[in-house]
Amino acid sequence: MFVLDSRLQLDTVVLGDFALCQLLLSKDANYPWFILVPKRPGVSELFDLDAAEQHQLWQETTQLAVALKASYGADKMNVATLGNVVSQLHMHVIVRMQGDAAWPAPVWGKCPAVSYSDEQVQVIRQRVRALQLEGFKEAADVA
Amino acid sequence: MFVLDSRLQLDTVVLGDFALCQLLLSKDANYPWFILVPKRPGVSELFDLDAAEQHQLWQETTQLAVALKASYGADKMNVATLGNVVSQLHMHVIVRMQGDAAWPAPVWGKCPAVSYSDEQVQVIRQRVRALQLEGFKEAADVA
């Protein structure tokens, strides 16, 4: 059974679900920082997924990246799966803007996280809803 | 016409070519750090490639990551496209080991690069050859 890693539970808000992945928002208001987590147990590397699941992950990743780039007018999308700390496979999809807190460095470990207000998270939920992402089901807001 | 970005030219060694991507080795002996660059001009984001090319990029990326993990006995593969500094689309495929110079942090900007000797690069060329990657053509060694 799929259970979200405890560190990810702590550091993110669940926005909803695609066919394969749960969509999370990192609790760091420095950047619009999204994370896709395939809802498969015991998966750490991309290639631990079967071929169809890998294809689905790429599709969900790309669809999200395209839509976020347009919505935010991003200068660059950063797409990465690292997993050195949290081994559960997760794909970062991060909106980067010239002049953001870490620019042009990668975001990890660069700047202390800045908290979101509940209202700010609501605004992001609305923005994601407006993206009308294919196959996306919004999570109930349990905040 | 595809021309490799000047910064990538400076910081990497060309190992060879797949159908879509050039395979580079980062000149940083801290980690076995490989980079795939789609040989398409004017491409910065994953989704600037057409659907078939995206699929090919994922295939070349995944094949490489699987083979490198096994060959090096990696603890984790890091797969990422950032492009905040070099806008030409490039995919990092990095072999990570517990206790490597940056572990568990991401590699970017963490430790000064350590030079390879010519002999060390030869050893890596041989290792890559031994992976027998599908569709891979080794570059002539022009060093």
Side-chain angles (χ1 to χ4, degrees):
Chain A
M1 200 185 72
F2 169 75
V3 180
L4 187 62
D5 173 272
S6 58
R7 172 85 179 251
L8 288 175
Q9 282 188 34
L10 205 64
D11 294 346
T12 68
V13 175
V14 177
L15 297 179
D17 290 271
F18 291 96
L20 178 63
C21 294
Q22 199 157 68
L23 176 61
L24 310 175
L25 173 69
S26 175
K27 290 179 181 168
D28 183 353
N30 280 313
Y31 332 88
W33 178 345
F34 299 84
I35 299 174
L36 288 165
V37 182
K39 291 172 282 182
R40 295 292 179 270
V43 166
S44 178
E45 301 278 7
L46 290 171
F47 43 84
D48 293 338
L49 297 172
D50 70 28
E53 290 168 338
Q54 285 180 36
H55 186 68
Q56 184 66 26
L57 174 57
W58 300 135
Q59 284 205 312
E60 293 176 4
T61 299
T62 307
Q63 180 193 190
L64 181 64
V66 171
L68 289 174
K69 182 163 189 182
S71 176
Y72 282 95
D75 289 309
K76 191 70 188 66
M77 297 304 300
N78 288 177
V79 175
T81 174
L82 306 175
N84 307 333
V85 176
V86 170
S87 69
Q88 184 174 65
L89 180 60
H90 58 290
M91 183 71 85
H92 300 274
V93 180
I94 310 164
V95 174
R96 302 301 307 275
M97 307 295 259
Q98 288 180 26
D100 70 26
W103 186 266
V107 299
W108 302 277
K110 189 72 181 177
C111 306
V114 172
S115 296
Y116 279 115
S117 67
D118 289 350
E119 190 177 58
Q120 286 175 309
V121 172
Q122 287 309 317
V123 169
I124 290 181
R125 287 186 192 279
Q126 288 163 13
R127 183 190 285 261
V128 169
R129 192 180 308 140
L131 299 177
Q132 300 191 289
L133 297 163
E134 193 185 328
F136 180 68
K137 286 185 195 172
E138 197 177 341
D141 179 5
V142 293
Chain B
M1 200 184 75
F2 168 74
V3 178
L4 187 62
D5 173 273
S6 57
R7 173 86 179 251
L8 289 175
Q9 282 190 33
L10 205 65
D11 293 347
T12 69
V13 174
V14 176
L15 297 179
D17 291 271
F18 290 97
L20 178 64
C21 295
Q22 199 156 68
L23 176 62
L24 311 175
L25 173 68
S26 175
K27 290 180 182 169
D28 184 352
N30 279 312
Y31 333 87
W33 178 347
F34 299 84
I35 299 174
L36 288 166
V37 182
K39 292 172 283 183
R40 295 290 179 272
V43 166
S44 177
E45 301 278 6
L46 291 171
F47 43 84
D48 292 337
L49 297 172
D50 69 28
E53 291 168 338
Q54 286 179 34
H55 186 68
Q56 184 66 26
L57 175 58
W58 301 133
Q59 283 204 312
E60 293 177 5
T61 299
T62 309
Q63 180 193 189
L64 182 64
V66 170
L68 290 174
K69 182 162 189 182
S71 175
Y72 282 95
D75 290 308
K76 191 71 187 64
M77 297 304 300
N78 288 179
V79 175
T81 176
L82 305 176
N84 306 334
V85 176
V86 171
S87 68
Q88 184 174 63
L89 180 60
H90 58 290
M91 182 72 86
H92 300 275
V93 180
I94 310 163
V95 174
R96 302 301 308 275
M97 308 294 261
Q98 287 179 28
D100 69 26
W103 185 266
V107 299
W108 301 276
K110 190 70 182 176
C111 306
V114 172
S115 296
Y116 279 116
S117 67
D118 289 349
E119 190 177 57
Q120 286 175 310
V121 172
Q122 287 308 320
V123 169
I124 290 180
R125 286 185 193 278
Q126 287 163 15
R127 183 189 285 262
V128 169
R129 193 179 307 141
L131 299 177
Q132 301 192 287
L133 298 162
E134 193 186 328
F136 180 68
K137 287 184 193 171
E138 198 177 339
D141 179 4
V142 293

